[in-house]
Amino acid sequence: MPGKTKVLERKPLSIAERTYLPQIVTGLKTTLSNLFGKTVTREYPEQPPPIPDGYRGVPTLVKDPNGREKCVSCQLCEFVCPPKAIRITPGLIEEESEDAHVEKGPEEFEINMLRCIYCGLCQEVCPEEAIWLQNIYSVSGYTREEFINNKQTLYELGGTLPDEHLKWDKKKSAEDEGNPHH
Amino acid sequence: MSDNGDQELVEIFVDDQSVKVPPGINAIEAAKFAGKEIPHYCYHPKLSVVGNCRMCLMEMGTPMRDRETGTPIMEEDGSQKIGWIPKPVIGCSTTISPGMHIKTESNLVKDCQEGVMEFLLVNHPLDCPICDQAGECSLQEFAMDYGRGYSRYTERKNVKPKRTRLGPRVTLDDERCILCSRCIRFGQEIAEEDVLGFIDRGSFSTLACHPNHELDHNYSLNTVDICPVGALTSTDFRFKMRVWFLKETPSICTESSVGTNTLVWSREGKIHRITPRRNDAVNDTWMTDSGREYYKRVEAESRLNQFQINGNTADAGAAIQEAARLLDSGRSAIVASGQQSVEEQYLTKMIADHLNAPVYMARHWEKGDGLLLSEDRMPNTRGALLTQLTTKLPQETLSELGEKMNSGEIDTLLVAGENLIDLGISNEQINKANVLFLGTQSNSTSEEANVLLPGLTVFEKNGSFVNLNFILQKFQQAVPGPAGLIPDIMLLGKLLHRLTGNETPTNINSVWEELSSKYPEFTGISFANIPTEGQELDGANYTQLDFPETKSLKFNPVNS
């Protein structure tokens, strides 16, 4: 026989132990105390969590209070995006358009949510305050294509930004007024 | 000049640092020798000096001498006293003199630069997010490097016309213009089409075309290149892509035998624009507008991108095998081209030598403009001479070939990109013969070809051309070619291998090994060591040929 073996004597169970009753009662006590106590879990997804300020959810594009798309397709977000999730096709705003004074806008704007890491650099870098990470956090779909948000989707998700700058309106009114001597 | 022919250098002091520079240059260029930058907008090395932007203000002093006796005035420590000019001077119109001192970093200079930047920015719109120049804008760069960093201007900025069409290829945004007048001087001095000028002078100075004129000459896009801000923009490139995404690849323009040095700007395999690359021996800093359009051939509808045998799609190996079979069994001739690179011409010559086939070349001579568009519209006619692919200049028509085809002396043609119909060969003759077509764009000849061997454009391969001054210049691959296509060198190398059974060079380095060992003009050259500014070759053997080129920017005909 290799090594030394010490045989321990197994003690016989008491009557209380053999009925399991004390253990069941202890268990039920814990269950009942939680059943009528304060709730610690949330009924997700029926009950969504509160979203704190500055939360970084799905990036979206926004329009200004006049309904003009704020993005001018400068492509800084595309440049800064670490996982290369953003793809912009820049376009010219035609001279007949109401926003002709802005000159440039996105022809197409795609954000690939399979690539996006919600870092918020696009929002930080945007010189026009056009891209915002808002409070949508749960993205689902059946195909890869569904995860690529195009320009239309991005504006639907984004809505309107209630800002007061209206930088381009000021530009347009300056243009309309012209120079003092003209 | 000294005895050995070198220019004697002049010693000057830039921020107390001694540096030897060639005589006659101005302070901006001299400071570069000391590794210092003097910021400037209106000064351009290839244009006259006007000194209107005031950005290159600096301090300057010269060693003092007694006015009556001419003896140097010395400091107490024994060095010559420097007479500093009490006010700042502009660097662009200050020609250096021996012993001159300049200060580029003193407090006075910094004050000047901040002041000038502030004035320039007063009426400059905050257009950077929509401005095409962003990323390569001197105003952006110098505002960061030499500006004060914040604006004290609270009044309303001037309003000027935006989106003005100056010509078919140039759009002007007057608000962004800083009135440096580079574009005006370019028109007067280089293009010699004086159409631009300032109107409404004063606070509202505006750049405009003279009445009933527009900026439509073939060099108009150079004004976009030299515009230090985003005022002049290329209508073709406008709002297409930000420059910081683009990769620059050095290339050579194939428009004519001038061989303009270019940069090809591409992103993810798509070319967005072509701009000139400075080469003082070839094109200075200019290029034609028409040459900038050549990138559109990459994705043109006429682009050939499939190997074909008798109109049916084939793979590269089968097409080359079929081409070799036809060449081997027939009585062949070769129609080579000055569009082929030196390496391709060499391999074409190897094929011609093996088959004992005559080589024909067609001339594409048109009117030159005396600047950067020469009469010979083939970029590499001289390469064909140097590789001995041909010994005479290309002919006007291929009537000699046509006669031989009629007499049955020739029944198989290897054509490099040329359209035989334009060169005096009839449709019936083409139909009767076996035609192997190697090229990038379809034409009436390629449509009739028995074997179609699609090639790569100059943007998709490596190679070299010899320009009208016998300068060997290399171009590099900027974007990948269409799927399934192989470089022309590999294609011709494989075809040669099929024909001879010998091991043949199929890449650019092995071709150059053979070129440098076989031809005295190419001795000691490998593809890798061709300098970016080109290498001058010995063209003495070809002076008796009657080349079509007349005087242009950097070319003087030998015979005149």
Side-chain angles (χ1 to χ4, degrees):
Chain A
M1 287 284 281
K4 287 179 195 167
T5 312
K6 189 179 178 189
V7 179
L8 288 174
E9 200 181 326
R10 189 180 284 266
K11 286 181 188 159
L13 295 175
S14 66
I15 294 172
E17 280 168 341
R18 268 187 282 174
T19 60
Y20 297 109
L21 280 175
Q23 286 75 13
I24 290 171
V25 171
T26 319
L28 278 175
K29 229 196 271 176
T30 309
T31 307
L32 289 170
S33 71
N34 278 317
L35 197 59
F36 299 107
K38 200 182 157 211
T39 323
V40 294
T41 55
R42 174 177 292 120
E43 297 282 326
Y44 185 82
E46 286 78 16
Q47 216 181 72
I51 304 294
D53 284 345
Y55 181 81
R56 299 201 301 259
V58 169
T60 61
L61 290 178
V62 296
K63 298 192 171 176
D64 79 355
N66 299 333
R68 182 188 68 82
E69 54 178 345
K70 287 179 76 79
C71 175
V72 296
S73 65
C74 74
Q75 294 183 299
L76 281 178
C77 52
E78 181 175 354
F79 181 69
V80 81
C81 182
K84 297 193 190 303
I86 301 178
R87 179 51 53 115
I88 300 168
T89 313
L92 176 86
I93 299 179
E94 294 301 326
E95 255 171 295
E96 298 76 47
S97 162
E98 211 175 291
D99 300 324
H101 60 294
V102 188
E103 295 190 81
K104 196 178 173 190
E107 202 171 290
E108 187 45 89
F109 197 118
E110 285 180 350
I111 303 182
N112 187 339
M113 293 316 298
L114 294 169
R115 278 182 164 267
C116 180
I117 55 168
Y118 303 86
C119 65
L121 285 181
C122 50
Q123 176 180 336
E124 196 173 315
V125 82
C126 182
E128 299 284 330
E129 299 188 335
I131 189 164
W132 290 85
L133 275 73
Q134 298 196 42
N135 52 9
I136 306 164
Y137 53 85
S138 171
V139 185
S140 57
Y142 291 104
T143 60
R144 286 183 167 269
E145 287 70 41
E146 283 173 55
F147 286 93
I148 298 172
N149 289 339
N150 63 13
K151 185 173 139 180
Q152 195 194 342
T153 318
L154 288 167
Y155 277 118
E156 277 165 18
L157 295 174
T160 299
L161 183 78
D163 72 325
E164 304 294 320
H165 303 311
L166 302 174
K167 156 185 164 187
W168 289 101
D169 286 4
K170 286 175 194 159
K171 173 104 192 165
K172 192 175 188 180
S173 66
E175 265 174 38
D176 292 343
E177 282 170 39
N179 287 324
H181 88 308
H182 279 291
Chain B
M1 290 283 187
S2 63
D3 294 341
N4 57 13
D6 288 336
Q7 267 187 326
E8 266 174 52
L9 299 181
V10 175
E11 187 182 29
I12 62 159
F13 298 86
V14 181
D15 296 326
D16 292 332
Q17 176 194 345
S18 160
V19 57
K20 288 205 158 67
V21 300
I25 62 173
N26 68 16
I28 292 180
E29 298 294 334
K32 286 181 189 163
F33 285 88
K36 301 277 180 166
E37 178 188 52
I38 297 181
H40 56 271
Y41 293 110
C42 69
Y43 167 70
H44 187 281
K46 299 293 172 188
L47 297 174
S48 63
V49 170
V50 289
N52 65 11
C53 75
R54 315 312 287 181
M55 191 62 200
C56 60
L57 284 170
M58 55 169 207
E59 283 188 83
M60 188 264 273
T62 46
M64 283 175 87
R65 282 175 183 276
D66 191 288
R67 288 194 183 192
E68 275 159 25
T69 59
T71 49
I73 301 172
M74 308 306 276
E75 294 272 20
E76 279 172 15
D77 64 1
S79 64
Q80 197 171 354
K81 196 172 180 184
I82 302 300
W84 289 98
I85 294 182
K87 292 195 172 172
V89 297
I90 50 172
C92 60
S93 71
T94 303
T95 308
I96 53 117
S97 62
M100 181 188 271
H101 279 243
I102 56 179
K103 283 187 198 166
T104 69
E105 290 172 344
S106 66
N107 287 336
L108 175 65
V109 173
K110 278 185 184 161
D111 277 352
C112 290
Q113 290 167 341
E114 281 186 9
V116 172
M117 273 314 301
E118 189 169 26
F119 275 126
L120 286 176
L121 292 173
V122 154
N123 277 312
H124 194 82
L126 261 175
D127 270 355
C128 300
I130 60 161
C131 177
D132 272 328
Q133 192 82 3
E136 52 179 9
C137 173
S138 306
L139 203 65
Q140 265 186 339
E141 285 163 14
F142 294 157
M144 297 300 285
D145 293 346
Y146 307 102
R148 62 190 312 128
Y150 63 93
S151 173
R152 295 185 292 178
Y153 191 72
T154 50
E155 292 79 3
R156 177 179 277 183
K157 291 182 186 238
N158 268 352
V159 174
K160 289 186 195 175
K162 293 176 93 80
R163 224 199 282 227
T164 311
R165 181 185 181 275
L166 281 191
R169 292 173 292 276
V170 181
T171 306
L172 167 68
D173 187 319
D174 259 311
E175 282 187 352
R176 297 179 193 154
C177 178
I178 57 165
L179 309 171
C180 74
S181 80
R182 274 185 182 181
C183 50
I184 299 175
R185 280 174 284 147
F186 174 80
Q188 291 167 343
E189 294 161 17
I190 309 292
E192 296 182 350
E193 292 266 350
D194 189 7
V195 294
L196 293 172
F198 289 131
I199 55 169
D200 287 352
R201 279 173 184 253
S203 301
F204 306 106
S205 290
T206 305
L207 180 72
C209 280
H210 295 317
N212 304 322
H213 283 82
E214 61 173 11
L215 184 63
D216 57 359
H217 59 73
N218 198 24
Y219 291 87
S220 65
L221 282 171
N222 289 294
T223 60
V224 176
D225 295 332
I226 58 177
C227 184
V229 295
L232 292 161
T233 54
S234 157
T235 309
D236 178 42
F237 181 63
R238 195 171 153 86
F239 300 161
K240 289 278 163 25
M241 192 49 64
R242 306 317 298 261
V243 289
W244 52 73
F245 288 116
L246 302 177
K247 180 185 79 172
E248 305 157 46
T249 313
S251 188
I252 302 294
C253 181
T254 59
E255 192 183 17
S256 74
S257 57
V258 168
T260 299
N261 288 215
T262 59
L263 282 177
V264 178
W265 301 70
S266 62
R267 183 190 185 196
E268 295 172 357
K270 186 173 160 52
I271 301 173
H272 287 275
R273 68 169 177 182
I274 296 177
T275 59
R277 173 164 55 95
R278 181 171 176 176
N279 187 334
D280 290 350
V282 180
N283 58 306
D284 283 346
T285 55
W286 321 120
M287 90 177 276
T288 57
D289 289 2
S290 40
R292 298 177 200 239
E293 305 261 327
Y294 276 36
Y295 76 90
K296 292 178 179 167
R297 294 182 179 182
V298 172
E299 289 179 358
E301 270 182 37
S302 57
R303 180 74 197 273
L304 300 173
N305 51 20
Q306 268 177 340
F307 287 90
Q308 285 182 2
I309 301 173
N310 296 323
N312 302 319
T313 307
D315 68 25
I320 292 170
Q321 193 172 0
E322 174 68 5
R325 189 186 69 78
L326 290 172
L327 285 174
D328 225 4
S329 56
R331 296 178 290 278
S332 314
I334 290 173
V335 181
S337 163
Q339 292 281 357
Q340 292 179 292
S341 71
V342 172
E343 300 79 9
E344 291 155 23
Q345 287 172 339
Y346 167 72
L347 290 167
T348 310
K349 175 172 167 55
M350 291 292 104
I351 291 171
D353 284 357
H354 173 77
L355 296 168
N356 217 3
V359 176
Y360 299 92
M361 281 179 77
R363 80 170 48 155
H364 295 268
W365 294 357
E366 280 168 51
K367 202 171 170 297
D369 66 2
L371 202 52
L372 288 174
L373 190 60
S374 65
E375 282 74 5
D376 185 358
R377 295 301 165 82
M378 289 282 127
N380 200 22
T381 304
R382 282 157 179 83
L385 294 166
L386 287 166
T387 52
Q388 291 159 21
L389 181 62
T390 177
T391 52
K392 51 187 181 187
L393 288 178
Q395 298 102 52
E396 204 161 336
T397 64
L398 301 181
S399 49
E400 192 189 328
L401 173 66
E403 282 163 25
K404 285 188 177 173
M405 288 169 80
N406 282 342
S407 67
E409 211 175 315
I410 282 165
D411 61 11
T412 307
L413 295 175
L414 174 61
V415 184
E418 298 282 5
N419 188 3
L420 299 180
I421 310 277
D422 296 346
L423 303 168
I425 311 280
S426 68
N427 248 328
E428 297 81 63
Q429 284 174 309
I430 292 176
N431 283 335
K432 228 167 65 182
N434 289 321
V435 176
L436 321 173
F437 187 87
L438 165 67
T440 62
Q441 309 292 331
S442 73
N443 56 32
S444 337
T445 307
S446 73
E447 279 160 21
E448 303 296 327
N450 298 64
V451 181
L452 197 59
L453 305 165
L456 295 180
T457 64
V458 68
F459 309 110
E460 297 158 339
K461 61 187 179 186
N462 293 317
S464 54
F465 293 135
V466 181
N467 89 341
L468 79 184
N469 277 328
F470 282 94
I471 299 175
L472 176 70
Q473 309 191 93
K474 68 175 168 187
F475 54 89
Q476 289 176 9
Q477 181 182 11
V479 294
L485 263 53
I486 57 176
D488 300 36
I489 294 176
M490 190 186 277
L491 214 156
L492 290 164
K494 286 187 170 181
L495 183 58
L496 184 61
H497 171 71
R498 282 274 172 202
L499 290 166
T500 61
N502 301 332
E503 199 173 309
T504 55
T506 52
N507 68 51
I508 201 151
N509 294 325
S510 49
V511 172
W512 270 103
E513 275 168 31
E514 297 200 359
L515 277 170
S516 65
S517 65
K518 282 190 185 169
Y519 299 98
E521 288 92 347
F522 294 135
T523 306
I525 301 175
S526 68
F527 185 70
N529 70 19
I530 301 173
T532 43
E533 68 274 13
Q535 180 161 351
E536 203 166 342
L537 301 176
D538 179 15
N541 292 341
Y542 306 97
T543 44
Q544 78 287 357
L545 290 177
D546 195 17
F547 289 112
E549 285 97 345
T550 55
K551 187 177 172 358
S552 58
L553 186 66
K554 299 287 173 181
F555 178 74
N556 277 309
V558 185
N559 300 335
S560 65

